[in-house]
Amino acid sequence: MRLHWSLALGLLLAACTSNGSQGVSYTPDDYQLALNAVNQARSQPQTCGSSSYPAAPALRWNGLLGEVARQRAEYIQQTNDFRHEEGSSTEMAAAVRARANGYEYREIRENLYRGPGSAAEAVTEWLGSPSHCQTLMAPHLREMGMVKRGAYWVLVVAQPR
């Protein structure tokens, strides 16, 4: 009987402290190539449009953000809807999917790239766009997930809570 009460109390405490969502983690086999490409760009000062950025701290891979990037890339590949929102929503899809997956953040951003090539090529393209470059170089962002599906790359970066 004591075991049943201990188990019940443990389950009750877990339910009370949970954010209500069991996140799915995704880390592709080639994640290190994406992580290296982004961190290589962050390791050097960059000029993003008219703004200069010093080198930024390296990002770390987060499997929950990897799952968000995977979901977004698959959605874009299936629908050819190459926007930061999905369907009729006006909210950024990466933010919606991150919350649904249990990832808690202070800030979240997304870069999209359509084209053949490697993670390094996608990062090079983003560095050439002021807003995408700013996302890559934001020093307060600490975690990332990046996935390619078909011709679509999705990078999700965030400052966790």
Side-chain angles (χ1 to χ4, degrees):
M1 183 68 155
R2 191 172 277 172
L3 177 63
H4 291 281
W5 280 109
S6 297
L7 180 60
L9 179 60
L11 291 173
L12 179 62
L13 288 174
C16 291
T17 59
S18 171
N19 65 8
S21 178
Q22 297 283 333
V24 175
S25 180
Y26 179 73
T27 301
D29 292 338
D30 63 350
Y31 85 96
Q32 194 66 52
L33 294 173
L35 185 63
N36 290 346
V38 170
N39 284 332
Q40 174 62 31
R42 287 174 66 92
S43 72
Q44 304 169 38
Q46 302 288 344
T47 300
C48 304
S50 60
S51 300
S52 294
Y53 286 82
L59 296 176
R60 63 186 170 267
W61 183 268
N62 181 286
L64 295 176
L65 293 179
E67 174 62 12
V68 171
R70 184 196 66 76
Q71 290 174 7
R72 288 285 294 133
E74 288 182 0
Y75 173 85
I76 294 167
Q77 182 185 25
Q78 292 168 2
T79 65
N80 204 29
D81 186 3
F82 193 69
R83 300 177 304 127
H84 293 287
E85 303 81 23
E86 292 181 5
S88 61
S89 176
T90 58
E91 188 174 5
M92 187 176 70
V96 173
R97 288 184 182 267
R99 285 193 308 272
N101 202 36
Y103 184 83
E104 296 182 12
Y105 60 87
R106 293 179 192 267
E107 184 177 349
I108 191 164
R109 298 185 191 183
E110 172 185 73
N111 280 357
L112 305 176
Y113 172 67
R114 176 178 27 211
S118 66
E121 289 171 297
V123 170
T124 298
E125 290 295 320
W126 290 326
L127 287 172
S129 163
S131 63
H132 295 97
C133 180
Q134 291 166 2
T135 292
L136 284 173
M137 297 305 296
H140 62 284
L141 301 176
R142 299 291 187 196
E143 298 181 336
M144 69 168 270
M146 185 172 164
V147 173
K148 181 182 184 186
R149 287 292 183 268
Y152 300 101
W153 282 99
V154 177
L155 169 68
V156 179
V157 291
Q159 178 185 20
R161 248 180 231 229

